[in-house]
Amino acid sequence: MKFRCERDVLVDALATAGRAVGGRGTQPGLSGVRAALTGDRLELTGSDIDLTISVGITVSGETDGVVVIPARLAADIVKALEPGAVSFAAVEDELKISAGRSEFAIRLIAGDDFPRLAELDVEAVTIGADDLAGSLGQVIPAASTDDSRPILTGVLVAAEDGGLRLVATDSYRLAVRDLDNAFVLSDGQSVLIPRKALQELNRILSGGADVMVRLGEREASFEVGDIRVVTRLIEGDFPNYRGLIPASHPNTLTLNREELLDALRRVKLLAREATPVRLDMSADGLELVAVTQDVGTAREQVEATYEGNDLTVAFNPQYLLEGLEVAPGDLVTLSTIDELKPALVRAVGVDDFLYLLMPVRFS
Amino acid sequence: MDAFYASVEIRDDPSLRGRPVIVGGSSDRGVVAAASYEARVHGIRSAMPSARARQLCPHAVFLHGDHSRYQEVSARIMAIFDDVTPSVEPISLDEAFLDVAGATRLLGPPEAIARVIRDRIREQERLPASVGGGTSKLIAKLASVEAKPRIEGRSILPGPGVYVVPAGGEQAFLDPLPVRALWGVGPKTHDKLARLGVVRVADLRTVTLERLVGVLGQAQGQHLHAMARAHDRREVETNRAAKSISHEETFAHDLVDRGTLDRELVRMADAVAARMRASGVRGRTVVLKLRHADFRTVTRSHTLERSTHSAPTIHRTAREMFDQLDLGDGVRLLGVGVTSLTTDAADQLSFDDVLGAGDGAPAEAGRTSVEVDEATNSAIDEIRRRFGHTAIGPAVLATEDGLEQGKPGDEMWGPAQLPPR
């Protein structure tokens, strides 16, 4: 294998493919990026078995071939080179990287160790990237990062009322987003896609192009331009999230989303060491209070209309912030039952998004 | 506590009752740590050299004492205080300040609270205590002296046991007291004051601040000037970080049956949880203590994600640690406790509480498991408040004759296994 390529193009491609490469302690084959050259087409693939990212770029090819190169090292080297053309040449078990007066020879990884990637034999469905990008960003923050409950590290993608519904929860908050006219699944079908895969997908979605989605039994793939993300699906039953959403809330607070966000970010400075931010809600509006023992106190009044009984409810400010940040629109409502039951964040006049979160019990 | 160490010894060995008992170093270089009132009749005081005490009263019973035993008794007495208010400031093993301002709504006026405390110590520990009350630490401390038995001539006059100085009555209470009663008035200061003609607190009030500072120096002059006027703004300071609530029990025979031991865990978890709720505290770290037949002692602790004051959670956590332990030749002592207690816990609730999917109580229609748990706790506490402690309890402790009894620490020292004297 031998080719030449612009340094910056190669840097980006190595970084993108490298994002699927496992961290420390992975088996040798998985710490590499597979480089396959056919004519002028170079495909770089990184994989940790669960997640695979492939990037295709156009290079000036000389000799076809397939090698597995150490991902981190190769990326660091190429990034550090002078701008301009970089040439890659595999000779026996070494890869020569040269640019200008720099020359590196690094040991290749045995190709047998690299995982075999299954092709998904399913018809592709095309979705607008912008729609999906916005929607993924709204639910991903609510998915769990705690591997002890694997089901919750996934985002539920379900066919719902002729559209697509995205659901994520880490058991403390729940985000639900509905997409119209996105017929990826057959009626009643649902899959559980790992948060990490969707995060990577979301990262490459910004191009504005379309996404080709393939959903298989055990895998899903997403293609955006020259980049393809393939992920294993999570097996198991997603919790009954519908049962969590209360049918009605006696108390509703309505206020400007940005004003609440700004106030919350300020008051949060005094909510340390797991102390919550308290929301005192009454006909006078909203007061945010944070008290950390031996540190101090923060208070802020926020203009709001409130219907219901006077209520003080406390939240982990980060959870509330993350919900408000992804809520659409200028006006939001916070609906509550009491200080121990789930509270609901919605955008006024927007039905396709909801964010439910559990309070913090404080004494 | 009245003559604390000596009272503990007399309680545990009734043959000592009525005799002069001295706890302390018995060698000639030792000092008296505590003396029963019968010993005090002979002029014996704490901190007096043991040799002098022996001269004053050759027939007194001298005991080495067992500090660790006093510590454990003290912990249980402090636990009684914790039941009254979380605002407890221990001064020594046998003395503490309690701020009961927040407890009056539940327990009645200070006088009633004082009686409750004294009665509980007498019932639970069979030890005499005296309780003083007042609007400041100064007054409360001096009132406790009034409450204690007194020696007059060769006889012991029983004290009232409880003495509360009413708000507004502070000056009238202080004025007739000898200045020596005030904190910081030792023999030297006493002499200096005597030269000014000051004998009683009332006399002290007539001396100007400048004069006092001139004679006693800045710090002490100001201190006594304020004390004489009952000016004392010191708060009851609790050290919450260090607080824990625990129960342990030494069994009559070493136990080997896990089922029997588990029942003990249930009983102790229930007692610990009840005390935590009475003190208004929650905690996250559950501690299990187990002493083997050969006295080898192991402790295990586990920190929960959320704070608790519920018996089932404490028991389950203790049980999980217990199940990991090898019982060997038998268990001599078992203990359950909760540490890192706090009055301002903040716990992130979870959807598991709504679904009843977590470790807590099952959720009900419209109520999360947290709410069910709290409602259960409140009901238990209320039933016990109205009908007594044994009116309700964990089902595994039920027998045909009612609830298996076991007051906290009844057999802590082992039944009648007193150290040889």
Side-chain angles (χ1 to χ4, degrees):
Chain A
M1 185 199 74
K2 192 172 177 191
F3 67 87
R4 282 164 62 81
C5 178
E6 236 356 84
R7 185 202 68 167
D8 291 348
V9 174
L10 206 49
V11 167
D12 284 352
L14 281 170
T16 302
R19 296 193 58 83
V21 174
R24 67 251 110 63
T26 46
Q27 62 186 85
L30 298 182
S31 65
V33 163
R34 192 178 73 148
L37 181 68
T38 316
D40 283 344
R41 171 93 183 160
L42 176 71
E43 192 173 71
L44 296 172
T45 304
S47 176
D48 68 357
I49 300 181
D50 287 344
L51 175 68
T52 302
I53 301 177
S54 299
V55 190
I57 55 174
T58 303
V59 298
S60 143
E62 211 167 292
T63 319
D64 288 0
V66 180
V67 293
V68 179
I69 58 183
R72 181 78 42 84
L73 185 58
D76 286 348
I77 289 169
V78 175
K79 208 182 330 177
L81 292 171
E82 299 274 331
V86 177
S87 92
F88 269 41
V91 182
E92 292 175 0
D93 62 349
E94 274 191 346
L95 174 69
K96 287 204 161 60
I97 303 174
S98 44
R101 281 177 284 184
S102 311
E103 190 171 306
F104 292 81
I106 58 176
R107 187 69 63 87
L108 290 166
I109 294 170
D112 303 345
D113 293 341
F114 199 78
R116 264 175 216 293
L117 304 172
E119 283 295 313
L120 263 178
D121 192 18
V122 186
E123 208 171 318
V125 178
T126 303
I127 307 181
D130 281 344
D131 274 1
L132 194 59
S135 312
L136 287 176
Q138 283 175 297
V139 297
I140 289 173
S144 177
T145 51
D146 177 2
D147 289 328
S148 67
R149 291 178 79 173
I151 299 237
L152 300 186
T153 63
V155 171
L156 180 75
V157 180
E160 194 89 20
D161 295 334
L164 203 60
R165 170 170 280 190
L166 308 178
V167 187
T169 178
D170 61 0
S171 85
Y172 306 118
R173 58 260 171 84
L174 166 82
V176 180
R177 171 69 157 93
D178 287 325
L179 281 118
D180 283 341
N181 308 318
F183 305 100
V184 182
L185 297 160
S186 49
D187 224 16
Q189 198 189 352
S190 69
V191 292
L192 204 45
I193 303 176
R195 170 197 172 113
K196 191 179 173 212
L198 294 180
Q199 253 173 328
E200 295 306 330
L201 174 62
N202 204 26
R203 194 185 296 271
I204 58 176
L205 276 177
S206 48
D210 287 343
V211 194
M212 294 203 344
V213 182
R214 288 183 175 85
L215 291 177
E217 286 282 310
R218 292 196 183 79
E219 279 139 344
S221 83
F222 306 88
E223 272 180 73
V224 185
D226 289 324
I227 304 174
R228 187 159 62 118
V229 175
V230 183
T231 177
R232 174 191 58 88
L233 297 175
I234 298 173
E235 284 172 52
D237 291 327
F238 198 72
N240 169 25
Y241 69 94
R242 286 171 216 272
L244 297 173
I245 305 165
S248 64
H249 288 85
N251 314 307
T252 303
L253 184 79
T254 308
L255 69 177
N256 182 286
R257 186 173 71 97
E258 286 296 337
E259 282 176 21
L260 177 55
L261 272 171
D262 289 345
L264 201 53
R265 289 190 186 108
R266 282 188 286 270
V267 171
K268 179 175 177 269
L269 296 171
L270 266 296
R272 297 200 190 177
E273 293 158 26
T275 57
V277 166
R278 267 163 37 201
L279 281 68
D280 290 335
M281 299 180 288
S282 67
D284 297 337
L286 169 69
E287 186 175 47
L288 300 177
V289 184
V291 180
T292 302
Q293 223 179 10
D294 303 330
V295 179
T297 307
R299 283 175 189 277
E300 182 158 344
Q301 307 266 352
V302 186
E303 211 170 289
T305 57
Y306 183 64
E307 286 168 45
N309 306 315
D310 287 7
L311 179 67
T312 297
V313 57
F315 295 108
N316 174 330
Q318 191 58 33
Y319 292 169
L320 184 54
L321 272 176
E322 287 179 0
L324 291 167
E325 277 165 353
V326 298
D330 298 333
L331 276 183
V332 289
T333 57
L334 176 73
S335 306
T336 47
I337 298 172
D338 58 38
E339 73 279 6
L340 295 176
K341 293 210 181 67
L344 185 65
V345 176
R346 300 200 78 143
V348 173
V350 184
D351 287 339
D352 63 13
F353 174 75
L354 70 81
Y355 188 84
L356 190 74
L357 77 162
M358 287 302 284
V360 170
R361 174 184 58 194
F362 68 102
S363 49
Chain B
M1 302 300 296
D2 302 341
F4 181 51
Y5 302 162
S7 298
V8 172
E9 296 298 341
I10 293 165
R11 174 193 72 175
D12 292 346
D13 182 357
S15 73
L16 296 174
R17 194 167 298 281
R19 297 171 63 186
V21 175
I22 293 168
V23 176
S26 55
S27 77
D28 284 349
R29 292 167 63 182
V31 294
V32 174
S36 71
Y37 283 89
E38 288 79 2
R40 294 184 196 196
V41 166
H42 297 276
I44 293 165
R45 301 284 180 267
S46 45
M48 174 182 279
S50 298
R52 171 85 182 125
R54 216 183 284 276
Q55 278 177 357
L56 288 170
C57 184
H59 63 284
V61 181
F62 277 79
L63 297 171
H64 270 298
D66 176 353
H67 197 73
S68 68
R69 195 153 51 107
Y70 306 145
Q71 264 176 342
E72 298 197 44
V73 177
S74 169
R76 281 181 286 150
I77 292 166
M78 295 295 169
I80 294 174
F81 300 158
D82 287 343
D83 280 350
V84 172
T85 169
S87 187
V88 177
E89 180 182 346
I91 300 300
S92 62
L93 279 188
D94 69 333
E95 203 171 8
F97 284 113
L98 280 70
D99 183 345
V100 296
T104 50
R105 221 183 48 184
L106 208 63
L107 298 172
E111 181 114 358
I113 297 175
R115 292 204 182 283
V116 165
I117 294 171
R118 186 164 183 268
D119 291 349
R120 273 202 210 160
I121 295 172
R122 195 172 45 206
E123 280 162 25
Q124 184 185 309
E125 300 298 329
R126 288 174 286 129
L127 289 172
S130 302
V131 186
T135 51
S136 64
K137 282 183 170 179
L138 167 75
I139 300 295
K141 165 76 183 172
L142 293 173
S144 77
V145 176
E146 290 302 309
K148 282 183 186 294
R150 253 180 315 166
I151 307 291
E152 257 187 43
R154 288 260 143 181
S155 52
I156 306 165
L157 302 180
V162 167
Y163 192 98
V164 176
V165 177
E170 294 88 350
Q171 200 64 61
F173 169 69
L174 278 182
D175 276 350
L177 295 178
V179 283
R180 201 197 278 274
L182 296 178
W183 266 322
V185 181
K188 275 189 185 164
T189 308
H190 188 253
D191 287 351
K192 287 181 191 168
L193 289 172
R195 264 175 256 140
L196 295 176
V198 171
V199 180
R200 302 195 176 272
V201 176
D203 308 330
L204 186 59
R205 273 205 293 140
T206 63
V207 186
T208 63
L209 177 62
E210 292 70 28
R211 189 91 193 275
L212 274 179
V213 167
V215 175
L216 299 171
Q218 188 74 29
Q220 202 182 11
Q222 281 182 347
H223 169 73
L224 285 185
H225 187 262
M227 290 291 131
R229 286 159 184 77
H231 291 168
D232 178 16
R233 303 181 59 85
R234 291 168 300 167
E235 300 275 336
V236 172
E237 286 168 17
T238 50
N239 185 1
R240 293 204 174 110
K243 257 177 59 173
S244 69
I245 290 181
S246 62
H247 276 251
E248 56 183 54
E249 191 149 331
T250 303
F251 305 115
H253 310 285
D254 295 345
L255 297 179
V256 288
D257 177 50
R258 282 191 180 267
T260 310
L261 285 162
D262 185 46
R263 272 209 302 284
E264 295 298 327
L265 289 180
V266 169
R267 193 215 314 277
M268 288 189 273
D270 179 53
V272 167
R275 268 179 54 203
M276 290 176 75
R277 295 197 296 271
S279 312
V281 295
R282 309 176 63 97
R284 285 175 56 205
T285 303
V286 178
V287 181
L288 175 77
K289 179 174 171 184
L290 188 150
R291 181 167 296 151
H292 291 273
D294 59 3
F295 281 87
R296 202 162 39 87
T297 306
V298 290
T299 52
R300 294 284 182 273
S301 68
H302 179 78
T303 299
L304 299 161
E305 218 162 277
R306 296 204 307 218
S307 71
T308 188
H309 58 194
S310 292
T313 306
I314 296 168
H315 169 253
R316 187 176 53 248
T317 312
R319 171 66 191 265
E320 277 163 16
M321 294 185 278
F322 175 74
D323 285 346
Q324 302 296 314
L325 294 177
D326 177 18
L327 301 188
D329 288 339
V331 177
R332 179 184 172 79
L333 171 150
L334 197 61
V336 174
V338 178
T339 64
S340 16
L341 303 182
T342 173
T343 51
D344 47 17
D347 298 302
Q348 173 67 51
L349 301 176
S350 152
F351 291 135
D352 293 334
D353 301 317
V354 180
L355 300 172
D359 289 334
E364 293 172 355
R367 289 206 299 181
T368 65
S369 54
V370 167
E371 290 168 287
V372 173
D373 197 34
E374 289 311 322
T376 310
N377 285 337
S378 309
I380 293 170
D381 292 345
E382 179 65 12
I383 288 168
R384 285 183 174 161
R385 196 180 67 75
R386 286 166 65 175
F387 305 111
H389 188 84
T390 54
I392 186 169
V396 294
L397 301 183
T399 69
E400 283 180 8
D401 306 322
L403 273 186
E404 226 174 273
Q405 276 270 20
K407 269 203 288 251
D410 250 3
E411 293 163 32
M412 180 164 288
W413 313 118
Q417 278 184 355
L418 293 172
R421 297 188 187 282

